[in-house]
């Protein structure tokens, strides 16, 4: 990865990394997903999907990921019809 980018998230489930990347994009943070999973990696190591952000956005991104991980029970903005 180029200088100035930091890894803030990794998972062995690529779909989970895609969800986090989308959440960051929704909050105006440019994130790069590096998928290290491939058939050649799976033979010896499972590989990870990693998310990188620019170091200037690191703390905000980490806070968003932490808050995202703490949320349970669905969308807080959802309206339940009566």
């Amino acid at each position: 990865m180029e200088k100035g980018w930091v890894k803030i998230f990794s998972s062995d489930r690529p779909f989970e990394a895609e969800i986090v990347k989308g959440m960051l994009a929704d909050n105006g943070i440019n994130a790069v997903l590096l998928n290290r999973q491939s058939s050649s990696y799976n033979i010896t190591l499972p590989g990870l999907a990693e998310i990188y952000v620019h170091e200037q956005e690191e703390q905000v991104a980490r806070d968003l990921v932490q808050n995202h991980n703490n949320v349970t029970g669905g969308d807080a903005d959802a309206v339940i019809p009566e």
Side-chain angles (χ1 to χ4, degrees), residues 44-75:
T44 56
L45 298 172
L48 294 174
E50 302 171 340
I51 295 180
Y52 291 82
V53 299
H54 197 273
E55 61 190 8
Q56 294 173 337
E57 298 177 310
E58 177 182 7
Q59 191 56 54
V60 173
R62 287 188 185 279
D63 291 344
L64 286 168
V65 170
Q66 181 64 38
N67 288 337
H68 177 76
N69 288 338
N70 289 336
V71 172
T72 59
D75 186 357

Side-chain angles (χ1 to χ4, degrees), residues 19-29:
I19 291 169
V20 171
K21 181 183 178 207
M23 182 266 306
L24 291 171
D26 288 347
N27 286 279
I29 295 180

Side-chain angles (χ1 to χ4, degrees), residues 7-28:
K7 180 171 66 171
I8 62 153
F9 182 83
S10 64
S11 175
D12 60 353
R13 298 177 290 183
F15 70 89
E16 185 178 31
E18 288 285 354
I19 291 169
V20 171
K21 181 183 178 207
M23 182 266 306
L24 291 171
D26 288 347
N27 286 279

